Amino acid sequence: MPFGGLLAFAMASLSLLAEVSPKQYRTVPGERGTPCPQRNCWGEYRSNYSLHFAEYKDNGSAWNPQQMTDALDTIRTEKEKKGYAFVLVYVHGWKHSASGSPEDSDVTQFKRLLDDVSMLSNKGSPLPLVGVYIGWRGKSMATQSQLLSIPSYWGRRNTARSVGVKDLQTDLAKLTELAHGGETGKSTQIIVVGHSMGARVVENALAEINRKWLDANQFRRNGAEVSRPPADLVVYLNAATPSTLTRRTLNRLRKDGDVVKRHPHYSAGRCHTGNASTPECRAYPIFMAITSSGDWETRFLMPFANFIGPVGLHAWHLLSAAATPSLRSHRLKPIAGPSPPGTEKPGEVCAENKRTKDEDCYFLESLPSAPPNKSASFWIAKVSRKISENHTDIWNKELWGMLSSLLPQQGEPLPSNRVPPRPPPPPPPPPQLYRPQ
C-alpha cells in the first residue's frame, strides 16, 4: 500500500473511534489547608509542597488564565517567606491530560515525584517546593488500546507544536522571570521537564524565550558576564519530536561563543589547578536530552510516522536529538561504585542489577568524538534500560537521581557564562568567568 494510502487508512480508522472532546479538567481553585475531594482542583496545597495545574487549548490559549496566576502567586509567596523556592514544571506527552483519571497515571506519578523531591533539605529546613503541571489534550481518542490510538499521532504531533505558543509561551516567560528575580529580587531554581510530545511543547514554548536570551548576550564574549538562562535546567525525556529545533538551539548557543554554566562556588584559580572534575569546578548543563535504549516509540514509530506524514519541517530530521547518534555529546560509563561524598561525577547514578542484586553505577561521560556543534550547556545522551526501561518509564528514582546530580547545590543561584569558541591549536588560555548578579 502506498504511503499516502496507509495514511488515509489511518485517518479513516481514527474517524471510527470516539474523540476526547477539548475540555478544562481543573475547574476549582482549591484552598490552602483544605484537601481537594475530587480531581477538579487546579491548586493543591500540601504540607510538603504546592501543586498547580495550568491547562491549555489546542491553539495554546489558556483555558483559564487564573490557573497560572495562582501558580505565580504561590511562587512569589514562597520567595517572600523563605527567600527561595524550587519550581518543577512538568509537561506531559501523547495520550495524557490533566484529568488525573485512574487510566492516566501521570498526575499521580508527578505527585509522588514531588513527595520525593520535598524530602530534600534546604539548609535544614523543608524545601519550599512548587510543582506546576502543564496540561493539554495529549489524549484525543477514547481508547486505552496502544494500537488503536496510533492514528492520533499526526494530529497530536501538530497540536503539540501549536500548544507551545500564545499563552503557554507567555506563561513560561512569566514563570522564569519570577523565578530569577522578578518582583522580589530573590533567587530560586526552576526546572522544566517535557516527556514524549510534551518535549515538543516545551521546545516550541521556549524557542522564542531562548532566542531573546541568547540575542541579549550575543556580544558578551571572552569571559564577559552572561545573564541567567530562562530555566536552570530544561529536560527532554524520551522526546517525541524531531531534532530540528535542537539543532537550531545548538547553532545559536555556539554562534558567538559557547555558554558554560558553573557551580556557585566556582573559582577560576582553584579550578585550573587540577580540580577541574570536582563538582565545584565542572560545567553543568542548561539543556538535557535523554532517550532510553528501550524507547522503541521514538526510535521506530516516530521516524516512520514522520516519514509517511506531510512533508515539511521534519523532512530531513526524523529522529529526536537523543536518538540521533551524530548529535550525542555524552554516554553512560560504568564505574566501580559510588563516589565518596563531594567527589561525585556528573550524572552519577547507581541502579540495582536485577540478575546479581548488586549495584551498578554509572556517570555521564563526555564523548571524546563529540559532534562539532556540541555545546557545553546542551547535553544529549542515550541511557541504559536500567535507568529508563522504555518510553513511559520516566518516574523511577534512578533517572531522577541522575537528573538531580546535574544541578549545583540547592538554594544557590546558577551562574552561566559565555566563553569564546575554541580555535585551532594552540588553544587560548582559559578565559576568566564571571557570575551574573
Side-chain angles (χ1 to χ4, degrees):
M1 180 183 294
F3 289 142
L6 183 61
L7 182 59
F9 173 77
M11 293 297 112
S13 301
L14 178 61
S15 67
L16 298 176
L17 296 170
E19 181 186 29
V20 175
S21 300
K23 64 177 295 185
Q24 177 186 347
Y25 291 97
R26 305 286 168 163
T27 57
V28 179
E31 297 181 10
R32 293 184 181 274
T34 303
C36 184
Q38 300 174 337
R39 296 189 300 267
N40 62 346
C41 294
W42 70 63
E44 297 186 17
Y45 305 93
R46 307 197 176 192
S47 60
N48 54 340
Y49 66 80
S50 299
L51 170 60
H52 288 269
F53 293 85
E55 299 171 88
Y56 298 85
K57 301 176 183 178
D58 286 357
N59 65 356
S61 299
W63 279 100
N64 187 340
Q66 190 64 39
Q67 291 181 327
M68 182 56 71
T69 298
D70 287 356
L72 294 169
D73 287 344
T74 296
I75 297 170
R76 188 177 295 109
T77 298
E78 292 290 352
K79 291 180 65 177
E80 290 173 348
K81 288 194 306 183
K82 302 179 181 179
Y84 167 73
F86 189 96
V87 183
L88 181 55
V89 182
Y90 173 73
V91 185
H92 67 76
W94 184 28
K95 297 181 284 190
H96 293 285
S97 68
S99 68
S101 66
E103 297 81 19
D104 186 347
S105 65
D106 257 28
V107 171
T108 300
Q109 295 283 17
F110 187 56
K111 291 180 180 179
R112 289 175 180 168
L113 175 64
L114 292 175
D115 274 324
D116 292 339
V117 175
S118 69
M119 295 172 64
L120 298 172
S121 64
N122 180 34
K123 298 180 180 178
S125 61
L127 185 71
L129 175 62
V130 181
V132 181
Y133 187 102
I134 302 296
W136 60 287
R137 195 165 64 113
K139 182 180 178 65
S140 62
M141 297 173 61
T143 176
Q144 300 304 315
S145 169
Q146 298 294 320
L147 181 62
L148 292 178
S149 62
I150 287 178
S152 70
Y153 171 85
W154 292 275
R156 295 304 88 197
R157 179 195 68 180
N158 296 336
T159 297
R161 185 182 181 191
S162 59
V163 167
V165 296
K166 287 190 176 180
D167 292 344
L168 178 54
Q169 185 178 99
T170 303
D171 287 348
L172 278 181
K174 292 178 181 177
L175 274 173
T176 58
E177 288 169 5
L178 175 60
H180 291 169
E183 299 171 15
T184 65
K186 298 177 182 178
S187 178
T188 192
Q189 284 183 313
I190 179 168
I191 317 301
V192 181
V193 179
H195 169 236
S196 186
M197 284 188 185
R200 183 170 173 80
V201 174
V202 172
E203 267 197 330
N204 284 279
L206 289 179
E208 181 65 13
I209 300 172
N210 288 331
R211 184 192 67 78
K212 291 180 178 179
W213 169 62
L214 288 169
D215 284 351
N217 292 283
Q218 63 178 325
F219 300 114
R220 301 180 181 184
R221 303 182 56 174
N222 200 22
E225 176 186 318
V226 173
S227 61
R228 287 181 70 178
D232 297 301
L233 183 63
V234 179
V235 184
Y236 306 115
L237 290 178
N238 293 330
T241 183
S243 62
T244 308
L245 290 183
T246 295
R247 295 170 188 267
R248 291 180 184 173
T249 301
L250 286 168
N251 290 336
R252 293 191 68 85
L253 284 169
R254 296 195 58 84
K255 180 181 178 182
D256 299 294
D258 200 9
V259 174
V260 181
K261 185 172 76 175
R262 296 293 188 186
H263 192 280
H265 300 152
Y266 175 83
S267 167
R270 180 169 55 84
C271 290
H272 290 303
T273 57
N275 299 312
S277 62
T278 62
E280 292 80 9
C281 296
R282 64 171 179 254
Y284 289 82
I286 299 172
F287 304 93
M288 180 78 220
I290 299 174
T291 190
S292 165
S293 59
D295 181 10
W296 68 269
E297 285 91 336
T298 58
R299 291 171 60 197
F300 302 109
L301 175 60
M302 187 186 78
F304 176 73
N306 286 339
F307 182 71
I308 68 174
V311 176
L313 181 66
H314 316 298
W316 301 108
H317 305 143
L318 301 178
L319 292 168
S320 68
T324 305
S326 62
L327 287 179
R328 290 179 195 148
S329 61
H330 289 72
R331 65 183 175 191
L332 272 185
K333 184 176 181 179
I335 52 178
S339 302
T343 64
E344 295 87 350
K345 299 179 182 299
E348 183 172 322
V349 60
C350 295
E352 182 186 44
N353 187 312
K354 295 180 180 179
R355 182 175 58 85
T356 65
K357 302 301 180 183
D358 295 329
E359 269 195 333
D360 292 336
C361 297
Y362 309 86
F363 79 100
L364 286 170
E365 178 188 48
S366 180
L367 286 169
S369 56
N373 61 341
K374 173 186 175 182
S375 169
S377 61
F378 203 136
W379 294 16
I380 304 173
K382 180 172 75 172
V383 299
S384 163
R385 296 179 68 167
K386 295 178 182 178
I387 308 301
S388 176
E389 178 71 22
N390 50 45
H391 182 71
T392 59
D393 183 26
I394 64 165
W395 302 107
N396 65 78
K397 63 179 182 180
E398 289 81 14
L399 177 61
W400 287 92
M402 182 179 72
L403 293 177
S404 66
S405 72
L406 300 178
L407 285 170
Q409 178 181 336
Q410 303 287 356
E412 297 285 352
L414 293 174
S416 54
N417 310 274
R418 182 174 291 277
V419 297
R422 181 176 297 174
Q432 182 180 5
L433 302 178
Y434 294 84
R435 300 180 191 172
Q437 300 299 316

